[in-house]
Amino acid sequence: MMKCAFYDAKPYDRTWFDALQGAYGMTCTYFESKLSQDTALLAQGHDAVIAFVNDTIDRQVIDILYKKGIRVLAMRCAGYNNVDFASAFGRIHVLRVPAYSPYSVAEHAMALLLALDRKIHHAYNRTRDFNFSLSGLAGFDLHGRTVGVVGTGKIGRVFIDICKGFGMHVLAYDPFPVPGYDVQYVPFEELCRSSDIISLHCPLNADTYHVIDGKAIAMMKDGVYIVNTSRGALIDSEALLESLKSLKVGGAALDVYEEESQFFFEDWSASVVQDDVLARLLSLHHVLITSHQAFLTDDALKNIAETTLENLRAFFAGEPLPNEICYYCTRIDSCAKDHATRCF
Ligand code: NAD
């Protein structure tokens, strides 16, 4: 059995990893702590590390893991913006789960949009208090509205299908349009100018950091809704907050937040949260925030466990690693590796 140090473990992670690990020749030690310089030493005596979106995987952490004999890091997620690939290259292979359920995230994006628009979060609280007033709960029909989708990858395309099912007009922006895909691609500026709703489905990288900033928001329609289930730092949170306060932005539904790693996935209800931007966002009636839960369906969790364990099995069996990602993959979006080999 190969021993895996499993960081940031939550009860919902364990269900499928516990059920499947034996079949893949793995055994997991679950650590509740996130991976960081302070916790990297816990990996000592293990053969692999399994990590998640808000773990810190910088040069210092990679140095510690490498010194402790770790040669493979399995991300149990699709995104990898928290990994210092330059440090890992040539030393630690980084594997990921490129797709586990685009439906889980796309459906959550639509759930957020519907809840924000029809004020379901307010209605739920009111009726529990026997307040059956409808004042202030008016939304607008999604049918016939224009939705701008930034990123037409796996999740973006499922979201587009859902929006088409609602009778919405879809505009899309992607620097790498999908050939032959039936959607109206437009430049980013036009998407900002023409959309009633903007939903983000692109990765976080140097090009997309704060892609929604004050300048982009200024181009948008008054009252636009912004939905982000992708990565927090796609949006300049302070600019978003100002535009929500002025009602330039009519509503925001966020599953991610740029400083989320400090807070999300944990219970801070008995603490005084010191992030004033997050606190102010949460205080606004036209903001709906979930805690990076878009992926959280039982189907997705099972697929995550299966692919993560299969990635590790293939690594230890010396087989090709189709789900490996490296410094070069991340720099040019699609690396020269032919997937019959490894990145190094
Ligand atoms: P994907 O790789 O299939 O698609 C990403 C798309 O974004 C690609 O078509 C790519 O060309 C496009 N893109 C790249 N640069 C862009 C840019 N500058 N502007 C616009 N588009 C750009 O990825 P996916 O599986 O669809 O996932 C999308 C994102 O969703 C991930 O990067 C991740 O950050 C996020 N995600 C969030 C959750 C969650 O629980 N909230 C779960 C999974 C993924």
Side-chain angles (χ1 to χ4, degrees), residues 100 105 153-155 174 176 202-203 208 229-231 255 292 295:
Y100 42 84
V105 183
K154 293 175 285 296
I155 295 169
D174 195 313
F176 310 99
C202 58
T208 59
T229 54
S230 209
R231 283 292 180 269
D255 186 51
H292 206 136
F295 73 100

Side-chain angles (χ1 to χ4, degrees), residues 52-53 77-81 96-102 104-105 108 149-157 173-178 185 188 200-205 207-208 211 228-232 234 255-256 260 265 292-296 333:
F52 196 48
V53 290
C77 51
Y80 42 76
N81 51 282
R96 68 167 184 143
V97 183
Y100 42 84
S101 171
S104 64
V105 183
H108 191 76
V149 178
V150 180
T152 56
K154 293 175 285 296
I155 295 169
R157 292 202 302 279
Y173 168 70
D174 195 313
F176 310 99
V178 179
Y185 281 108
F188 180 68
L200 304 179
H201 299 286
C202 58
L204 175 63
N205 56 35
D207 292 336
T208 59
V211 65
N228 188 8
T229 54
S230 209
R231 283 292 180 269
L234 296 176
D255 186 51
V256 286
E260 71 176 47
F265 306 119
H292 206 136
Q293 76 172 75
F295 73 100
L296 196 65
D333 205 52

Side-chain angles (χ1 to χ4, degrees), residues 256-288:
V256 286
Y257 170 63
E258 59 181 325
E259 303 300 332
E260 71 176 47
S261 58
Q262 286 181 54
F263 303 107
F264 280 21
F265 306 119
E266 308 299 335
D267 180 1
W268 286 82
S269 58
S271 309
V272 178
V273 165
Q274 299 296 323
D275 185 322
D276 289 349
V277 174
L278 178 61
R280 189 73 175 98
L281 284 170
L282 283 165
S283 76
L284 297 174
H285 69 85
H286 52 330
V287 172
L288 183 53

